[in-house]
Amino acid sequence: DGGITQSPKYLFRKEGQNVTLSCEQNLNHDAMYWYRQDPGQGLRLIYYSQIVNDFQKGDIAEGYSVSREKKESFPLTVTSAQKNPTAFYLCATSAGLAGNTIYFGEGSWLTVV
Amino acid sequence: SQQGEEDPQALSIQEGENATMNCSYKTSINNLQWYRQNSGRGLVHLILIRSNEREKHSGRLRVTLDTSKKSSSLLITASRAADTASYFCATDVPSNYQLIWGAGTKLIIKP
């Protein structure tokens, strides 16, 4: 069953806590992305990775960290430095970077409590 | 950074009617893509139109691109309740390794 799996679907974070969102894909895509979406808004790019062991900051990387140790996996850590983390987080993949169709996971809701 | 702007922000029509939404952008593009997002779900790719194309069809979807006006439109014909969703345009800009997204049009189809 090909696709992108994000987990957990819902996550609650206490103030000052780091949390990690998982993203796994079996599409054999080289590029992976993390987007943040606030209610009623468009997508903002947090980080992207073109190949294993390489990743680049997007428009809103502050307070987030990623790793790309395997082609299939691109976890996102929301650190305590991110002061307003409550949002919907989307992981995505594409065969390459420029101009390709992007495939999305089902998203993860993060709420600060 | 966002360069795409969808218009209208929200659209409510009766089932069976046609729905048209527009996307304007600011810089030259390689291609423009439309995506659909059902509430609380991931986005799904609908159609890609390249800068040298003017019109493209896919089922009940018709996309046009006017590079002189830096705008695109998405037409959904004979709308259905299942078309209720938010629709986003995304532009692929030369020398930029990421798509640039608009804020979306929220479409509601009333039964």
Side-chain angles (χ1 to χ4, degrees):
Chain A
D1 192 26
I4 303 163
T5 302
Q6 287 189 240
S7 63
K9 180 68 177 179
Y10 299 96
L11 185 60
F12 298 91
R13 192 193 93 168
K14 293 181 180 179
E15 295 281 352
Q17 197 176 47
N18 293 354
V19 294
T20 297
L21 306 180
S22 170
C23 178
E24 302 282 331
Q25 58 111 347
N26 61 5
L27 300 172
N28 200 33
H29 283 170
D30 287 316
M32 297 188 74
Y33 312 80
W34 275 105
Y35 288 95
R36 170 177 171 148
Q37 186 178 33
D38 292 283
Q41 302 296 315
L43 278 65
R44 292 187 290 169
L45 184 65
I46 305 172
Y47 269 99
Y48 65 98
S49 168
Q50 190 176 4
I51 55 172
V52 174
N53 292 323
D54 183 66
F55 48 82
Q56 305 295 328
K57 293 181 179 180
D59 297 321
I60 56 164
E62 185 175 351
Y64 300 96
S65 66
V66 294
S67 63
R68 186 86 186 274
E69 297 177 1
K70 299 185 300 181
K71 186 175 184 178
E72 305 79 28
S73 179
F74 192 41
L76 173 73
T77 297
V78 185
T79 75
S80 57
Q82 173 48 243
K83 297 306 178 188
N84 185 23
T86 295
F88 189 51
Y89 291 87
L90 287 157
C91 177
T93 72
S94 64
L97 275 182
N100 287 273
T101 297
I102 294 185
Y103 299 84
F104 286 84
E106 286 297 293
S108 294
W109 290 95
L110 174 62
T111 303
V112 173
V113 296
Chain B
S1 55
Q2 291 189 335
Q3 76 152 342
E5 291 185 7
E6 282 93 340
D7 169 54
Q9 290 186 330
L11 178 62
S12 181
I13 61 173
Q14 293 294 138
E15 192 168 20
E17 294 181 339
N18 295 343
T20 299
M21 53 206 87
N22 304 295
C23 171
S24 60
Y25 56 92
K26 299 173 184 171
T27 64
S28 297
I29 61 172
N30 292 324
N31 66 58
L32 185 145
Q33 304 180 34
W34 285 92
Y35 290 77
R36 184 188 74 230
Q37 183 182 33
N38 290 88
S39 183
R41 307 290 296 273
L43 282 74
V44 174
H45 179 258
L46 295 176
I47 200 163
L48 181 153
I49 186 164
R50 301 191 187 284
S51 60
N52 61 353
E53 298 175 311
R54 292 297 167 257
E55 187 171 310
K56 209 161 181 182
H57 297 255
S58 177
R60 295 184 295 113
L61 306 181
R62 172 179 169 249
V63 168
T64 60
L65 179 65
D66 187 334
T67 53
S68 66
K69 295 182 179 178
K70 292 186 171 58
S71 68
S72 174
S73 66
L74 170 66
L75 168 67
I76 303 173
T77 60
S79 63
R80 305 168 182 169
D83 295 327
T84 293
S86 291
Y87 292 81
F88 294 88
C89 68
T91 51
D92 172 37
V93 178
S95 303
N96 194 339
Y97 294 115
Q98 54 174 294
L99 292 179
I100 302 177
W101 297 85
T105 292
K106 186 172 184 177
L107 175 65
I108 297 173
I109 308 298
K110 295 179 287 186

